[in-house]
């Protein structure tokens, strides 16, 4: 069937330039989730923060961002994409500068929260714009582009952060955003022209719904971040956060389902494609952020890499994504999306399965193929998932739906990280106890290792027996750590194999001539 005439109309150059500027703004906002991941020790030293406090450099950003992402749909309708995006970009540049000037951890937490909240306004707008201003015939270009940015930015975050903190200082993790943020704000304010503000909506703004949503999402993010390291409900603060999350959730969903103009429109979930796409996005978020977290943690904790070495080692996945993006775009217009998603999920599962052979000696060469396979698989998955979720919605629902879709990816990442940290902690304790049972006086190999360590320590003038016991305990602990990583990789393998099986139950999508268009 021939595409409708409007779909083939030429796109004004200013809109293409506006979209490029918006994509760059989204890249900055998503990048800053992980840009500090490999450089937390440098920031901790610079601010004189404790090990418990420094994690809030990421946590505060994530909590604020997950609140803004769904809210941005309503704000985009009120203010227009032009005003919301340019204000967000300018605010992101300003708060980035403030982060660089922080002199203590309290200031940094406040500035990072402001940076995450303001930056979150840029992310969903790009997805909505891609499906609003471009005709279906351009889907093979726009979908891989936004899929690439959404997956590439957090993946290369540790790499870019590692280089900046090593070559300059940790302050440049934030200063690098200032000039580009101002340029993006100027470009979007000047070029974006594809929607108009509706200030009348602001008079019906649901302040109660906003407070409830902030309590629900903020408390959820806090509980997921802090729960694994504080024994979950055994910690009073985490228990209070869970209670606040439940209360906020009840009020939020009640307001969202009963008001004519809710702060977040949940009606998009009535669309089967959007609901399934959001489910896949949630799980992909756990894989994307989970693996981006696991690689640097293994390299730092087990291999003893510094921030620059970690950044260089994890760059491979980002390069694989970049090279796969155009291929994924071509395939998306020629293949059944179920085939692409199935291949991507199986590839991700294969990548995780290869990592179940992990040892404490694995280095760049051993991690090379799993990282390449993961990068390729992520791109094969993300393009059809984006099209599935947003490709058939009418333009009027795209802004709210885009916010919800991006929220599912971030929440998937938060849940994934909480599960990962819980599994790592519990399984390390379990494996440590099991290994300690076998490293006793009745084990000849253990005694032989202990004797060798004692001889080496005696040769260096140390307290031979005590030092040898300490070294043997370190070996056991190190092996328990590696085994806990293997358990997490096995969990990811099973999860993505299950997703590949779920694809078999999806209905074959109806031909659309390239994708979504306005409702008729």
């Amino acid at each position: 069937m021939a595409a409708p005439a409007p779909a083939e109309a030429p796109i004004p150059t200013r809109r293409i330039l506006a979209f490029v500027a918006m994509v760059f703004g989204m890249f900055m906002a998503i990048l800053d989730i992980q840009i500090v991941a490999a450089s937390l020790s440098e920031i901790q030293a610079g601010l004189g923060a404790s090990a418990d406090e420094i994690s809030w450099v990421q946590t505060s950003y994530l909590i604020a961002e997950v609140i803004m992402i769904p809210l941005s749909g309503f704000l985009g309708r009120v203010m227009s994409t032009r005003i919301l995006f340019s204000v967000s970009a300018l605010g992101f540049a300003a708060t980035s500068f403030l982060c660089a000037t922080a002199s203590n951890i309290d200031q940094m937490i406040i500035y990072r929260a402001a940076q995450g909240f303001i930056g979150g306004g840029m992310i969903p707008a790009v997805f909505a714009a891609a499906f609003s201003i471009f005709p279906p015939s351009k889907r093979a270009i726009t979908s891989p582009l936004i899929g690439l940015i959404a997956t590439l930015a957090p993946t290369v975050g540790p790499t870019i952060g590692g280089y900046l903190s090593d070559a300059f200082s940790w302050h440049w993790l934030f200063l690098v955003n200032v000039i580009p943020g101002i340029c993006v704000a100027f470009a979007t304010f000047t070029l974006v022209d594809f929607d108009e503000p509706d200030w009348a909506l602001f008079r019906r703004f649901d302040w109660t719904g906003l407070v409830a949503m902030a309590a629900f999402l903020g408390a959820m993010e806090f509980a997921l971040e802090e729960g694994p390291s504080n024994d979950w409900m055994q910690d009073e603060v985490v228990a209070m956060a869970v209670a606040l999350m439940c209360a906020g959730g009840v009020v939020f969903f009640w307001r969202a389902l009963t008001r004519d103009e809710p702060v977040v429109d949940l009606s998009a979930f009535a669309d089967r494609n959007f609901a399934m796409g959001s489910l896949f996005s949630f799980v992909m978020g756990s894989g994307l952020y989970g693996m981006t977290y696991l690689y640097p943690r293994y390299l730092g904790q087990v291999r003893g890499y510094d921030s620059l070495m970690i950044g260089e080692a994890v760059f491979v996945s980002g390069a694989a994504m970049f090279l796969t993006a155009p291929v994924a775009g071509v395939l998306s217009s020629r293949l059944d999306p179920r085939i692409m998603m199935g291949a991507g999920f199986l590839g991700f599962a294969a990548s995780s399965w290869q990592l179940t052979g992990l040892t404490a000696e694995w280095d760049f060469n051993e991690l090379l193929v799993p990282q390449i396979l993961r990068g390729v698989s992520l791109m094969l998955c993300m393009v059809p998932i984006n099209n599935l979720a947003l490709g058939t919605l009418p333009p009027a629902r795209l802004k709210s739906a885009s916010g919800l879709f991006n929220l599912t990816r971030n929440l998937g990442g938060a849940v994934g990280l909480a599960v990962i940290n819980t599994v790592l902690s519990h399984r390390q304790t379990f494996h440590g106890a099991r290994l300690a049972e076998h490293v006793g006086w009745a084990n000849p190999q253990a005694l032989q290792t202990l004797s060798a360590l004692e001889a080496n320590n005696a040769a260096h003038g140390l307290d031979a027996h005590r030092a040898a016991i300490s070294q043997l305990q370190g070996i056991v602990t190190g092996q328990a750590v590696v085994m806990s990583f293997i358990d997490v990789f096995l969990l990811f393998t099973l999860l993505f194999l299950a997703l590949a099986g779920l694809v078999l139950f999806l209905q074959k999508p109806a031909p659309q001539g390239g994708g979504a268009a306005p409702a008729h």
Side-chain angles (χ1 to χ4, degrees):
M1 177 183 290
E8 300 301 326
I11 305 169
T13 303
R14 65 178 294 148
R15 290 194 174 183
I16 297 175
L17 294 175
F19 181 71
V20 171
M22 292 174 67
V23 166
F24 193 81
M26 181 182 76
F27 177 81
M28 289 194 303
I30 300 179
L31 177 74
D32 263 56
I33 298 173
Q34 294 289 349
I35 198 170
V36 301
S39 307
L40 287 175
S41 58
E42 287 88 344
I43 300 174
Q44 180 180 349
L47 298 177
S50 68
D52 291 334
E53 291 173 331
I54 198 61
S55 64
W56 277 91
V57 174
Q58 283 181 291
T59 303
S60 59
Y61 188 97
L62 288 169
I63 290 176
E65 188 183 57
V66 299
I67 294 172
M68 177 51 133
I69 285 177
L71 177 63
S72 64
F74 183 87
L75 293 180
R77 292 164 57 208
V78 174
M79 303 169 66
S80 78
T81 302
R82 171 174 170 259
I83 296 177
L84 174 63
F85 206 96
S86 55
V87 169
S88 296
L90 196 61
F92 188 78
T95 51
S96 294
F97 179 79
L98 290 175
C99 288
T101 64
S103 58
N104 57 63
I105 188 64
D106 293 331
Q107 289 180 358
M108 176 62 81
I109 290 172
I110 293 171
Y111 297 154
R112 278 286 282 177
Q115 186 191 34
F117 184 79
I118 295 172
M122 293 189 284
I123 299 172
V126 177
F127 285 78
F131 288 87
S132 298
I133 66 178
F134 291 99
S137 60
K138 300 295 186 290
R139 188 62 45 78
I141 300 174
T142 56
S143 288
L145 180 61
I146 59 176
L148 174 65
I149 296 302
T151 53
L152 181 65
T155 303
V156 301
T159 302
I160 295 175
Y163 273 109
L164 289 172
S165 59
D166 183 78
F168 304 102
S169 70
W170 64 264
H171 303 84
W172 282 91
L173 301 175
F174 309 108
L175 290 174
V176 72
N177 294 321
V178 176
I179 299 301
I182 294 172
C183 293
V184 168
F186 177 78
T188 52
F189 190 80
T190 305
L191 299 172
V192 172
D193 64 351
F194 43 80
D195 61 359
E196 296 293 333
D198 185 0
W199 298 105
L201 287 174
F202 194 74
R203 291 196 295 269
R204 290 176 280 169
F205 187 75
D206 183 13
W207 293 100
T208 302
L210 173 62
V211 172
M213 183 186 73
F216 171 55
L217 295 176
M220 178 192 297
E221 185 71 37
F222 176 87
L224 291 172
E225 287 283 323
E226 298 297 313
S229 58
N230 291 286
D231 205 16
W232 290 101
M233 299 298 286
Q234 302 303 314
D235 182 81
E236 183 178 349
V237 177
V238 174
M240 290 174 60
V242 172
L244 180 61
M245 177 191 76
C246 295
V250 170
V251 176
F252 166 67
F253 285 109
W254 170 60
R255 302 286 291 190
L257 296 174
T258 57
R259 286 182 63 88
D260 293 334
E261 288 291 347
V263 68
V264 176
D265 183 6
L266 302 177
S267 63
F269 284 111
D271 183 279
R272 179 178 177 181
N273 282 359
F274 179 79
M276 291 300 298
S278 296
L279 173 63
F280 286 133
S281 176
F282 181 88
V283 181
M284 286 303 300
S286 69
L288 171 63
Y289 290 106
M291 286 296 191
T292 304
Y293 170 78
L294 282 169
Y295 276 101
R297 177 160 176 174
Y298 164 78
L299 293 170
Q301 183 176 352
V302 178
R303 298 293 297 160
Y305 279 23
D306 61 26
S307 59
L308 179 61
M309 295 168 69
I310 291 173
E312 292 173 340
V314 301
F315 179 72
V316 176
S317 288
M321 290 180 197
F322 185 80
L323 295 174
T324 307
V327 178
V330 173
L331 292 178
S332 68
S333 61
R334 301 182 180 182
L335 277 183
D336 185 331
R338 296 176 302 174
I339 296 176
M340 285 188 69
M341 284 190 285
F345 293 147
L346 289 175
F348 201 109
S351 169
S352 301
W353 174 251
Q354 289 179 326
L355 293 168
T356 58
L358 186 74
T359 70
E361 285 73 41
W362 273 36
D363 216 321
F364 179 85
N365 292 333
E366 289 82 3
L367 296 174
L368 179 63
V369 173
Q371 286 200 86
I372 293 174
L373 189 54
R374 178 172 70 100
V376 171
S377 301
L378 276 170
M379 283 310 303
L380 290 178
C381 292
M382 288 303 295
V383 172
I385 288 174
N386 290 344
N387 289 341
L388 175 70
L390 301 173
T392 55
L393 292 175
R397 298 170 66 183
L398 273 174
K399 289 181 180 178
S400 295
S402 178
L404 291 172
F405 178 69
N406 282 276
L407 177 65
T408 59
R409 185 181 64 249
N410 280 28
L411 288 181
V415 172
L417 290 177
V419 172
I420 287 170
N421 285 321
T422 301
V423 172
L424 286 176
S425 176
H426 289 179
R427 297 300 289 180
Q428 180 182 336
T429 302
F430 171 79
H431 290 304
R434 293 293 300 273
L435 290 171
E437 292 174 2
H438 295 282
V439 183
W441 300 112
N443 187 325
Q445 187 175 357
L447 293 176
Q448 182 179 357
T449 302
L450 185 64
S451 298
L453 292 172
E454 286 179 343
N456 183 63
N457 291 328
H460 288 82
L462 301 174
D463 183 343
H465 182 70
R466 180 175 297 179
I469 291 292
S470 178
Q471 289 171 327
L472 190 60
Q473 184 178 11
I475 293 173
V476 170
T477 301
Q479 188 58 37
V481 169
V482 172
M483 294 174 73
S484 68
F485 275 96
I486 291 173
D487 290 340
V488 174
F489 292 133
L490 179 60
L491 189 63
F492 271 119
T493 302
L494 298 175
L495 176 63
F496 279 86
L497 282 176
L499 278 186
L502 184 61
V503 170
L504 299 175
F505 295 94
L506 292 177
Q507 291 183 344
K508 184 176 182 178
Q512 296 174 26
H520 298 289

